[in-house]
Coordinates of all heavy atoms in Angstrom, one line a residue:
M777 N -6.3 -12.1 -15.7 CA -6.2 -10.6 -16.1 C -5.3 -9.9 -15.1 O -5.4 -10.0 -13.9 CB -7.5 -10.0 -16.1 CG -7.6 -8.7 -16.8 SD -9.2 -7.8 -16.6 CE -8.9 -7.0 -15.0
A778 N -4.4 -9.1 -15.6 CA -3.5 -8.3 -14.7 C -4.4 -7.2 -14.0 O -5.2 -6.6 -14.6 CB -2.4 -7.7 -15.5
A779 N -4.0 -7.0 -12.8 CA -4.8 -5.9 -12.1 C -4.2 -4.6 -12.5 O -3.0 -4.3 -12.3 CB -4.6 -6.1 -10.6
V780 N -5.1 -3.8 -13.0 CA -4.7 -2.4 -13.5 C -5.6 -1.4 -12.9 O -6.8 -1.4 -13.0 CB -4.8 -2.3 -15.0 CG1 -4.3 -0.9 -15.5 CG2 -3.9 -3.4 -15.7
P781 N -5.1 -0.4 -12.1 CA -5.9 0.6 -11.5 C -6.2 1.7 -12.5 O -5.4 2.0 -13.4 CB -5.1 1.1 -10.4 CG -3.7 0.9 -10.8 CD -3.7 -0.3 -11.7
T782 N -7.4 2.2 -12.5 CA -7.8 3.3 -13.4 C -7.8 4.6 -12.6 O -7.7 5.7 -13.1 CB -9.2 3.2 -14.0 OG1 -10.1 2.9 -13.0 CG2 -9.1 2.0 -15.0
R783 N -8.0 4.5 -11.2 CA -8.0 5.7 -10.4 C -7.6 5.3 -9.0 O -8.0 4.3 -8.5 CB -9.5 6.2 -10.4 CG -9.6 7.5 -9.6 CD -11.0 8.1 -9.8 NE -11.2 9.2 -8.9 CZ -12.2 9.4 -8.1 NH1 -13.2 8.6 -8.0 NH2 -12.2 10.4 -7.3
I784 N -6.8 6.2 -8.4 CA -6.3 6.0 -7.0 C -6.6 7.3 -6.3 O -6.2 8.4 -6.8 CB -4.8 5.7 -7.0 CG1 -4.5 4.4 -7.8 CG2 -4.4 5.5 -5.5 CD1 -3.1 4.1 -7.9
Y785 N -7.4 7.2 -5.2 CA -7.7 8.5 -4.6 C -7.8 8.3 -3.1 O -8.0 7.2 -2.6 CB -9.0 9.1 -5.2 CG -10.2 8.3 -4.9 CD1 -11.1 8.7 -3.9 CD2 -10.6 7.1 -5.6 CE1 -12.3 7.9 -3.6 CE2 -11.7 6.4 -5.4 CZ -12.6 6.8 -4.4 OH -13.7 6.1 -4.1
Q786 N -7.8 9.4 -2.4 CA -7.9 9.4 -0.9 C -9.4 9.4 -0.6 O -10.1 10.4 -0.9 CB -7.2 10.6 -0.4 CG -6.9 10.6 1.1 CD -5.5 10.0 1.4 OE1 -4.6 10.1 0.6 NE2 -5.5 9.3 2.5
A787 N -9.9 8.3 -0.1 CA -11.4 8.2 0.2 C -11.8 8.8 1.5 O -12.9 9.0 1.8 CB -11.8 6.8 0.1
G788 N -10.8 9.1 2.3 CA -11.0 9.6 3.7 C -9.7 10.0 4.2 O -8.6 9.7 3.6
P789 N -9.6 10.6 5.4 CA -8.3 11.0 6.0 C -7.4 9.8 6.2 O -6.2 10.0 6.1 CB -8.7 11.6 7.4 CG -10.2 11.5 7.5 CD -10.8 10.9 6.3
A790 N -7.9 8.6 6.4 CA -7.0 7.5 6.6 C -7.4 6.3 5.7 O -7.0 5.2 6.0 CB -7.1 7.0 8.1
T791 N -8.0 6.6 4.6 CA -8.5 5.6 3.7 C -8.0 5.9 2.2 O -8.3 7.0 1.7 CB -10.0 5.4 3.7 OG1 -10.4 5.3 5.0 CG2 -10.4 4.2 2.9
L792 N -7.4 4.9 1.7 CA -6.9 5.0 0.3 C -7.9 4.1 -0.6 O -8.2 3.0 -0.1 CB -5.5 4.6 0.1 CG -4.8 4.9 -1.2 CD1 -4.5 6.4 -1.4 CD2 -3.5 4.1 -1.3
A793 N -8.3 4.6 -1.7 CA -9.2 3.8 -2.5 C -8.6 3.6 -3.9 O -7.9 4.5 -4.4 CB -10.5 4.4 -2.6
I794 N -8.7 2.4 -4.5 CA -8.3 2.1 -5.8 C -9.5 1.6 -6.7 O -10.2 0.7 -6.2 CB -7.1 1.1 -5.9 CG1 -5.9 1.6 -5.1 CG2 -6.7 0.8 -7.3 CD1 -4.7 0.6 -5.1
V795 N -9.7 2.3 -7.8 CA -10.7 1.7 -8.7 C -10.0 1.0 -9.8 O -9.0 1.5 -10.4 CB -11.5 2.9 -9.3 CG1 -12.6 2.3 -10.3 CG2 -12.2 3.7 -8.3
W796 N -10.4 -0.2 -10.1 CA -9.7 -1.1 -11.0 C -10.3 -1.0 -12.4 O -11.5 -0.6 -12.5 CB -9.6 -2.5 -10.5 CG -8.9 -2.6 -9.2 CD1 -9.5 -2.5 -7.9 CD2 -7.5 -2.7 -8.9 NE1 -8.5 -2.6 -7.0 CE2 -7.3 -2.7 -7.5 CE3 -6.4 -2.8 -9.8 CZ2 -6.1 -2.8 -7.0 CZ3 -5.1 -2.9 -9.2 CH2 -5.0 -2.9 -7.8
A797 N -9.6 -1.5 -13.4 CA -10.1 -1.5 -14.8 C -11.4 -2.2 -15.0 O -12.2 -1.9 -15.8 CB -9.0 -2.0 -15.7
D798 N -11.7 -3.2 -14.1 CA -12.9 -3.9 -14.3 C -14.1 -3.3 -13.5 O -15.1 -3.9 -13.3 CB -12.7 -5.4 -13.9 CG -12.3 -5.6 -12.4 OD1 -12.2 -4.5 -11.7 OD2 -12.1 -6.7 -11.9
G799 N -13.8 -2.1 -12.9 CA -14.9 -1.4 -12.2 C -14.9 -1.7 -10.7 O -15.6 -1.0 -10.0
K800 N -14.2 -2.7 -10.3 CA -14.2 -3.0 -8.8 C -13.4 -1.9 -8.1 O -12.4 -1.4 -8.6 CB -13.6 -4.4 -8.7 CG -13.8 -4.9 -7.3 CD -13.3 -6.4 -7.2 CE -13.4 -6.9 -5.8 NZ -12.9 -8.3 -5.7
E801 N -13.8 -1.6 -6.9 CA -13.1 -0.7 -6.0 C -12.7 -1.4 -4.7 O -13.4 -2.1 -4.1 CB -14.0 0.5 -5.7 CG -13.3 1.6 -4.9 CD -14.1 2.9 -4.7 OE1 -14.8 3.2 -5.7 OE2 -13.9 3.5 -3.7
T802 N -11.4 -1.1 -4.4 CA -10.9 -1.7 -3.1 C -10.4 -0.5 -2.2 O -10.0 0.5 -2.7 CB -9.8 -2.7 -3.3 OG1 -8.8 -2.1 -4.2 CG2 -10.3 -4.0 -3.9
R803 N -10.5 -0.7 -0.9 CA -10.1 0.3 0.0 C -9.1 -0.2 1.0 O -9.1 -1.4 1.3 CB -11.4 0.9 0.7 CG -12.3 1.5 -0.2 CD -13.3 2.4 0.4 NE -14.0 3.2 -0.6 CZ -14.8 4.2 -0.4 NH1 -15.0 4.6 0.8 NH2 -15.3 4.9 -1.4
Y804 N -8.3 0.7 1.5 CA -7.3 0.4 2.4 C -7.2 1.4 3.6 O -7.2 2.6 3.4 CB -5.9 0.4 1.6 CG -5.9 -0.3 0.4 CD1 -6.5 0.3 -0.8 CD2 -5.5 -1.6 0.3 CE1 -6.5 -0.4 -2.0 CE2 -5.6 -2.4 -0.9 CZ -6.1 -1.8 -2.0 OH -6.2 -2.5 -3.2
A805 N -7.0 0.8 4.8 CA -6.7 1.7 5.9 C -5.2 2.0 5.7 O -4.4 1.0 5.6 CB -6.9 0.9 7.2
V806 N -4.8 3.2 5.6 CA -3.5 3.6 5.2 C -2.4 3.0 6.2 O -1.3 2.6 5.7 CB -3.3 5.1 4.9 CG1 -4.1 5.5 3.7 CG2 -3.6 5.9 6.2
R807 N -2.7 3.0 7.4 CA -1.7 2.5 8.4 C -1.5 1.0 8.2 O -0.3 0.5 8.3 CB -2.2 2.8 9.8 CG -1.1 2.5 10.9 CD -1.5 3.0 12.2 NE -0.4 2.7 13.2 CZ -0.3 1.5 13.8 NH1 -1.2 0.6 13.7 NH2 0.7 1.4 14.7
D808 N -2.5 0.2 7.9 CA -2.4 -1.2 7.6 C -1.5 -1.4 6.3 O -0.7 -2.3 6.3 CB -3.7 -1.8 7.3 CG -4.6 -1.9 8.6 OD1 -4.1 -1.7 9.7 OD2 -5.8 -2.2 8.4
L809 N -1.7 -0.5 5.4 CA -0.9 -0.5 4.2 C 0.6 -0.3 4.5 O 1.5 -0.9 4.0 CB -1.4 0.5 3.2 CG -1.3 0.3 1.7 CD1 -1.9 -1.1 1.3 CD2 -2.0 1.4 1.0
R810 N 0.8 0.7 5.4 CA 2.2 1.0 5.8 C 2.8 -0.2 6.5 O 4.0 -0.5 6.2 CB 2.2 2.3 6.7 CG 3.5 2.5 7.4 CD 4.6 2.9 6.4 NE 5.9 3.1 7.0 CZ 6.8 2.1 7.2 NH1 6.5 0.8 6.8 NH2 7.9 2.3 7.8
I811 N 2.1 -0.8 7.3 CA 2.6 -2.0 8.1 C 2.8 -3.2 7.1 O 3.7 -3.9 7.3 CB 1.6 -2.4 9.2 CG1 1.6 -1.3 10.3 CG2 1.9 -3.7 9.8 CD1 0.5 -1.4 11.3
A812 N 2.0 -3.2 6.1 CA 2.2 -4.3 5.1 C 3.3 -4.0 4.1 O 3.4 -4.8 3.1 CB 0.9 -4.6 4.4
C813 N 4.0 -3.0 4.3 CA 5.1 -2.6 3.3 C 6.0 -3.8 2.9 O 6.5 -4.5 3.8 CB 6.0 -1.5 3.9 SG 7.3 -1.0 2.8
P814 N 6.1 -4.1 1.6 CA 6.8 -5.3 1.2 C 8.3 -5.1 1.0 O 9.0 -6.0 0.6 CB 6.2 -5.6 -0.2 CG 5.8 -4.2 -0.7 CD 5.5 -3.4 0.5
C815 N 8.9 -4.0 1.4 CA 10.3 -3.7 1.1 C 11.2 -4.5 2.0 O 10.8 -5.1 3.0 CB 10.7 -2.3 1.1 SG 11.1 -1.6 2.8
A816 N 12.5 -4.6 1.7 CA 13.4 -5.5 2.4 C 13.7 -5.0 3.8 O 14.1 -5.8 4.7 CB 14.7 -5.6 1.6
T817 N 13.4 -3.7 4.1 CA 13.6 -3.2 5.4 C 12.4 -3.7 6.4 O 12.6 -3.8 7.6 CB 13.6 -1.7 5.4 OG1 14.5 -1.3 4.4 CG2 14.1 -1.1 6.8
C818 N 11.3 -3.9 5.8 CA 10.1 -4.2 6.5 C 9.7 -5.7 6.6 O 9.0 -6.1 7.4 CB 8.9 -3.4 6.0 SG 9.1 -1.6 6.1
R819 N 10.3 -6.4 5.6 CA 9.9 -7.8 5.4 C 11.1 -8.6 5.0 O 11.9 -8.2 4.2 CB 8.8 -7.8 4.3 CG 7.9 -9.0 4.4 CD 6.7 -8.7 3.5 NE 5.8 -7.8 4.3 CZ 4.9 -8.2 5.1 NH1 4.7 -9.5 5.4 NH2 4.1 -7.4 5.8
D820 N 11.2 -9.8 5.6 CA 12.3 -10.7 5.2 C 12.1 -11.2 3.8 O 11.0 -11.8 3.5 CB 12.4 -11.9 6.2 CG 13.6 -12.8 6.0 OD1 13.7 -13.4 4.9 OD2 14.4 -12.8 6.9
E821 N 13.0 -11.0 2.9 CA 12.9 -11.3 1.5 C 12.7 -12.8 1.3 O 12.1 -13.2 0.4 CB 14.0 -10.8 0.7 CG 13.9 -9.3 0.4 CD 15.0 -8.8 -0.4 OE1 16.1 -8.6 0.1 OE2 14.9 -8.5 -1.6
M822 N 13.4 -13.6 2.1 CA 13.4 -15.0 2.0 C 12.0 -15.6 2.5 O 11.4 -16.4 1.8 CB 14.5 -15.7 2.8 CG 15.9 -15.4 2.2 SD 16.0 -16.0 0.5 CE 17.7 -15.6 0.1
T823 N 11.7 -15.3 3.7 CA 10.5 -15.9 4.3 C 9.2 -15.1 4.2 O 8.1 -15.7 4.4 CB 10.8 -16.1 5.9 OG1 10.9 -14.8 6.4 CG2 12.0 -16.9 6.1
G824 N 9.4 -13.8 3.8 CA 8.2 -13.0 3.7 C 7.7 -12.5 5.1 O 6.7 -11.9 5.2
E825 N 8.4 -12.9 6.1 CA 8.0 -12.6 7.5 C 8.2 -11.1 7.8 O 9.2 -10.5 7.3 CB 8.9 -13.4 8.4 CG 8.2 -13.8 9.7 CD 9.0 -14.8 10.5 OE1 9.2 -15.9 10.0 OE2 9.5 -14.4 11.6
R826 N 7.4 -10.5 8.5 CA 7.5 -9.1 8.8 C 8.6 -8.8 9.8 O 8.7 -9.4 10.8 CB 6.2 -8.6 9.3 CG 6.1 -7.0 9.3 CD 4.7 -6.6 9.7 NE 4.4 -7.0 11.1 CZ 3.1 -7.3 11.5 NH1 2.2 -7.3 10.6 NH2 2.9 -7.6 12.7
I827 N 9.4 -7.8 9.5 CA 10.5 -7.4 10.4 C 10.1 -6.1 11.1 O 10.4 -5.9 12.2 CB 11.8 -7.1 9.5 CG1 12.3 -8.3 8.8 CG2 12.9 -6.6 10.5 CD1 13.3 -8.0 7.8
L828 N 9.3 -5.3 10.4 CA 8.8 -4.0 10.9 C 8.0 -4.3 12.2 O 7.1 -5.1 12.2 CB 8.0 -3.3 9.9 CG 7.2 -2.1 10.3 CD1 8.2 -0.9 10.5 CD2 6.2 -1.7 9.2
D829 N 8.2 -3.5 13.2 CA 7.4 -3.5 14.4 C 6.3 -2.6 14.3 O 6.5 -1.4 14.2 CB 8.3 -3.2 15.6 CG 7.5 -3.1 16.9 OD1 6.3 -3.5 16.9 OD2 8.1 -2.8 18.0
P830 N 5.0 -3.1 14.2 CA 3.9 -2.2 14.0 C 3.8 -1.1 15.0 O 3.2 0.0 14.7 CB 2.7 -3.1 14.1 CG 3.2 -4.5 13.8 CD 4.6 -4.5 14.3
A831 N 4.3 -1.4 16.2 CA 4.2 -0.4 17.3 C 5.0 0.9 17.0 O 4.8 2.0 17.5 CB 4.7 -1.0 18.6
R832 N 6.0 0.7 16.0 CA 6.8 1.9 15.7 C 6.2 2.7 14.5 O 6.8 3.7 14.1 CB 8.2 1.4 15.3 CG 9.0 0.8 16.5 CD 10.4 0.4 16.1 NE 11.1 1.5 15.5 CZ 12.1 1.3 14.6 NH1 12.5 0.0 14.3 NH2 12.7 2.3 14.1
V833 N 5.1 2.2 14.0 CA 4.4 3.0 12.9 C 3.5 4.0 13.6 O 2.6 3.5 14.3 CB 3.7 2.0 12.0 CG1 2.9 2.8 10.9 CG2 4.7 1.1 11.3
P834 N 3.6 5.3 13.3 CA 2.7 6.3 14.0 C 1.3 6.0 13.6 O 0.9 5.6 12.5 CB 3.2 7.6 13.3 CG 4.5 7.3 12.7 CD 4.6 5.9 12.4
D835 N 0.4 6.3 14.6 CA -1.1 6.0 14.3 C -1.6 6.9 13.2 O -2.5 6.5 12.5 CB -1.9 6.4 15.6 CG -1.7 5.3 16.6 OD1 -1.4 4.2 16.3 OD2 -2.0 5.6 17.8
D836 N -1.0 8.1 13.0 CA -1.5 9.0 12.0 C -0.6 9.0 10.7 O -0.6 10.0 10.0 CB -1.6 10.4 12.6 CG -0.2 10.9 13.0 OD1 0.8 10.1 13.0 OD2 -0.1 12.1 13.4
V837 N 0.1 7.9 10.5 CA 0.9 7.8 9.3 C 0.0 8.0 8.0 O -1.1 7.5 8.0 CB 1.7 6.5 9.3 CG1 0.9 5.3 9.0 CG2 2.9 6.6 8.3
R838 N 0.5 8.7 7.1 CA -0.2 9.0 5.8 C 0.7 8.9 4.6 O 1.9 9.2 4.7 CB -0.8 10.4 5.9 CG -1.7 10.7 7.0 CD -3.1 10.1 6.7 NE -4.1 10.4 7.8 CZ -4.3 9.7 8.9 NH1 -3.5 8.6 9.1 NH2 -5.1 10.1 9.8
P839 N 0.1 8.5 3.5 CA 0.9 8.6 2.3 C 1.1 10.0 1.9 O 0.1 10.8 1.9 CB 0.1 7.8 1.2 CG -1.3 7.6 1.8 CD -1.2 8.0 3.3
V840 N 2.3 10.5 1.6 CA 2.5 11.9 1.1 C 2.7 12.0 -0.4 O 2.5 13.0 -1.0 CB 3.6 12.6 1.9 CG1 3.2 12.9 3.3 CG2 4.9 11.8 1.8
N841 N 3.1 10.8 -0.9 CA 3.3 10.9 -2.4 C 3.1 9.5 -3.0 O 3.6 8.5 -2.4 CB 4.7 11.4 -2.7 CG 4.9 11.5 -4.2 OD1 5.4 10.6 -4.9 ND2 4.4 12.7 -4.7
L842 N 2.3 9.4 -4.0 CA 2.1 8.1 -4.7 C 2.7 8.2 -6.1 O 2.4 9.2 -6.8 CB 0.6 7.8 -4.8 CG -0.2 7.8 -3.6 CD1 -1.7 7.7 -3.9 CD2 0.2 6.6 -2.6
S843 N 3.5 7.2 -6.5 CA 3.9 7.2 -7.9 C 3.8 5.8 -8.5 O 4.1 4.9 -7.8 CB 5.3 7.8 -8.0 OG 6.2 7.2 -7.1
S844 N 3.4 5.7 -9.7 CA 3.3 4.4 -10.3 C 4.6 3.9 -10.8 O 5.4 4.7 -11.3 CB 2.2 4.4 -11.4 OG 2.5 5.3 -12.4
V845 N 4.9 2.6 -10.7 CA 6.1 2.0 -11.2 C 5.7 1.2 -12.4 O 5.3 0.1 -12.3 CB 6.7 1.2 -10.1 CG1 8.1 0.6 -10.6 CG2 7.0 2.0 -8.9
G846 N 5.8 1.8 -13.6 CA 5.4 1.1 -14.8 C 4.0 0.6 -14.7 O 3.1 1.2 -14.1
N847 N 3.7 -0.6 -15.2 CA 2.4 -1.2 -15.0 C 2.4 -2.2 -13.9 O 1.5 -2.9 -13.7 CB 2.1 -2.0 -16.3 CG 1.9 -1.1 -17.5 OD1 1.3 0.0 -17.4 ND2 2.3 -1.6 -18.7
Y848 N 3.5 -2.1 -13.1 CA 3.7 -3.1 -12.1 C 3.0 -2.8 -10.7 O 2.4 -3.6 -10.1 CB 5.2 -3.3 -11.9 CG 5.6 -4.2 -10.7 CD1 5.4 -5.5 -10.7 CD2 6.0 -3.5 -9.5 CE1 5.7 -6.3 -9.6 CE2 6.3 -4.3 -8.4 CZ 6.2 -5.7 -8.4 OH 6.5 -6.4 -7.3
G849 N 3.2 -1.6 -10.3 CA 2.7 -1.3 -9.0 C 2.9 0.2 -8.6 O 3.0 1.1 -9.4
L850 N 2.8 0.4 -7.3 CA 2.7 1.7 -6.7 C 3.8 1.9 -5.7 O 4.0 1.1 -4.8 CB 1.3 1.8 -6.1 CG 0.8 3.2 -5.6 CD1 0.6 4.1 -6.9 CD2 -0.5 3.0 -4.9
K851 N 4.5 3.0 -5.8 CA 5.5 3.4 -4.8 C 4.9 4.4 -3.9 O 4.3 5.4 -4.4 CB 6.8 3.9 -5.5 CG 7.9 4.1 -4.5 CD 9.2 4.3 -5.3 CE 10.3 4.6 -4.2 NZ 11.6 4.6 -4.8
I852 N 5.0 4.2 -2.7 CA 4.3 5.1 -1.7 C 5.4 5.8 -0.8 O 6.2 5.1 -0.2 CB 3.3 4.4 -0.8 CG1 2.2 3.7 -1.7 CG2 2.6 5.4 0.1 CD1 1.2 3.0 -0.9
R853 N 5.4 7.1 -0.8 CA 6.2 7.8 0.2 C 5.4 8.2 1.4 O 4.3 8.7 1.2 CB 6.9 9.1 -0.4 CG 7.8 9.8 0.6 CD 8.9 10.5 -0.2 NE 8.3 11.5 -1.1 CZ 8.1 12.8 -0.6 NH1 8.3 13.2 0.6 NH2 7.6 13.7 -1.5
W854 N 5.8 7.8 2.6 CA 5.0 7.9 3.8 C 5.4 9.1 4.6 O 6.6 9.5 4.6 CB 5.1 6.6 4.6 CG 4.5 5.4 3.9 CD1 5.2 4.5 3.2 CD2 3.1 5.1 3.9 NE1 4.3 3.6 2.7 CE2 3.0 3.9 3.1 CE3 1.9 5.6 4.4 CZ2 1.8 3.3 2.9 CZ3 0.7 5.0 4.2 CH2 0.7 3.8 3.4
S855 N 4.5 9.5 5.5 CA 4.8 10.7 6.3 C 5.8 10.4 7.4 O 6.4 11.3 8.0 CB 3.5 11.2 7.0 OG 2.9 10.2 7.7
D856 N 6.1 9.1 7.6 CA 7.2 8.8 8.6 C 8.6 8.7 7.9 O 9.5 8.3 8.5 CB 6.9 7.5 9.3 CG 6.8 6.2 8.4 OD1 7.0 6.4 7.2 OD2 6.7 5.1 8.9
G857 N 8.6 9.1 6.6 CA 9.8 9.2 5.9 C 10.2 7.9 5.1 O 11.1 7.9 4.3
H858 N 9.4 6.9 5.3 CA 9.7 5.6 4.6 C 9.2 5.7 3.1 O 8.1 6.1 2.9 CB 8.9 4.5 5.3 CG 9.4 3.1 4.9 ND1 10.7 2.7 5.2 CD2 8.8 2.1 4.3 CE1 10.8 1.5 4.8 NE2 9.7 1.1 4.2
D859 N 10.1 5.3 2.2 CA 9.7 5.4 0.8 C 10.3 4.3 -0.1 O 10.4 4.4 -1.3 CB 10.1 6.8 0.2 CG 11.6 6.9 0.1 OD1 12.3 6.1 0.6 OD2 12.0 8.0 -0.4
T860 N 10.6 3.2 0.5 CA 11.3 2.1 -0.3 C 10.3 1.0 -0.7 O 10.7 0.1 -1.4 CB 12.5 1.5 0.4 OG1 12.1 1.2 1.8 CG2 13.7 2.5 0.4
G861 N 9.1 1.1 -0.3 CA 8.1 0.0 -0.6 C 7.5 0.2 -1.9 O 7.0 1.3 -2.2
I862 N 7.5 -0.9 -2.7 CA 6.7 -0.9 -4.0 C 5.6 -1.9 -3.8 O 5.9 -3.1 -3.7 CB 7.6 -1.1 -5.2 CG1 8.6 0.0 -5.3 CG2 6.8 -1.3 -6.4 CD1 9.7 -0.3 -6.4
Y863 N 4.4 -1.5 -3.9 CA 3.3 -2.4 -3.7 C 2.8 -2.8 -5.1 O 2.3 -2.0 -5.9 CB 2.1 -1.7 -3.0 CG 2.5 -1.2 -1.6 CD1 3.3 -0.1 -1.4 CD2 1.9 -1.8 -0.5 CE1 3.6 0.3 -0.1 CE2 2.3 -1.4 0.8 CZ 3.1 -0.3 1.0 OH 3.4 0.1 2.2
S864 N 2.9 -4.1 -5.4 CA 2.5 -4.5 -6.7 C 0.9 -4.4 -6.8 O 0.2 -4.6 -5.8 CB 3.0 -5.9 -7.0 OG 2.2 -6.9 -6.3
Y865 N 0.4 -4.2 -8.0 CA -1.0 -4.1 -8.2 C -1.7 -5.4 -7.8 O -2.8 -5.4 -7.2 CB -1.3 -3.6 -9.6 CG -0.9 -2.2 -9.9 CD1 -0.3 -1.8 -11.0 CD2 -1.2 -1.2 -8.9 CE1 0.1 -0.5 -11.3 CE2 -0.8 0.1 -9.2 CZ -0.1 0.5 -10.4 OH 0.2 1.8 -10.6
D866 N -1.1 -6.5 -8.2 CA -1.7 -7.8 -7.9 C -1.9 -7.9 -6.4 O -2.9 -8.4 -5.9 CB -0.7 -8.9 -8.4 CG -0.8 -9.1 -9.9 OD1 -1.7 -8.5 -10.5 OD2 0.1 -9.8 -10.4
R867 N -0.9 -7.5 -5.6 CA -0.9 -7.6 -4.2 C -1.9 -6.7 -3.6 O -2.7 -7.0 -2.7 CB 0.5 -7.3 -3.6 CG 0.7 -7.8 -2.2 CD 2.1 -7.5 -1.7 NE 2.0 -7.2 -0.3 CZ 1.9 -8.2 0.6 NH1 2.0 -9.5 0.2 NH2 1.8 -8.0 1.9
L868 N -2.0 -5.5 -4.1 CA -2.9 -4.5 -3.6 C -4.4 -5.0 -3.9 O -5.2 -4.8 -3.0 CB -2.7 -3.1 -4.4 CG -1.5 -2.3 -3.9 CD1 -1.3 -1.1 -4.8 CD2 -1.8 -1.8 -2.5
R869 N -4.5 -5.6 -5.0 CA -5.9 -6.0 -5.4 C -6.3 -7.1 -4.4 O -7.4 -7.2 -3.9 CB -5.8 -6.6 -6.8 CG -7.1 -7.3 -7.2 CD -8.0 -6.3 -7.8 NE -9.3 -6.9 -8.0 CZ -10.1 -6.7 -9.1 NH1 -9.8 -5.8 -9.9 NH2 -11.3 -7.3 -9.2
E870 N -5.3 -8.0 -4.0 CA -5.6 -9.1 -3.1 C -5.8 -8.5 -1.7 O -6.7 -9.0 -0.9 CB -4.4 -10.0 -3.0 CG -4.6 -11.4 -3.3 CD -3.3 -12.1 -3.5 OE1 -2.5 -12.3 -2.5 OE2 -2.9 -12.5 -4.6
F871 N -5.0 -7.6 -1.3 CA -5.0 -7.0 0.0 C -6.2 -6.1 0.4 O -6.6 -6.0 1.5 CB -3.7 -6.3 0.2 CG -3.4 -5.8 1.6 CD1 -3.1 -6.7 2.6 CD2 -3.5 -4.4 1.9 CE1 -2.9 -6.2 3.9 CE2 -3.2 -3.9 3.2 CZ -2.9 -4.8 4.2
G872 N -6.8 -5.5 -0.7 CA -7.8 -4.5 -0.4 C -9.1 -5.1 0.0 O -9.5 -6.3 -0.3
D873 N -9.9 -4.4 0.7 CA -11.3 -4.8 1.1 C -12.2 -4.3 -0.1 O -12.3 -3.1 -0.3 CB -11.7 -4.1 2.4 CG -10.9 -4.6 3.6 OD1 -10.7 -5.8 3.6 OD2 -10.6 -3.8 4.4
A874 N -12.8 -5.2 -0.7 CA -13.7 -4.9 -1.8 C -14.9 -4.1 -1.2 O -15.4 -4.4 -0.2 CB -14.1 -6.1 -2.5
T875 N -15.3 -3.1 -2.0 CA -16.5 -2.4 -1.6 C -17.7 -2.6 -2.6 O -17.4 -3.0 -3.7 CB -16.3 -0.9 -1.5 OG1 -15.7 -0.4 -2.7 CG2 -15.3 -0.6 -0.3
Ligands
ZN1119 ZN1 9.2 -0.9 3.9

């Protein structure tokens, strides 16, 4: 089954939560999510290895805008100005801590 979110909300100052179509909810520390950014600037497209230096990500980084990309995933604009990462729902579902 494809992972489809029914609700995405800020569960706390640094916590993003996604409720999925099957009723499961996953949570994310927003800074971890920023560090896990899958875009070509942050991650080597060939090896999947991280290029981004986590030390350069501000401790208080926050998502400032969320927009869905079709049924595929979520585009997040961050408070550090970064906005090229598209997080696929499949990946988010895998990456999240189930509650
Ligand atoms: Zn990125």
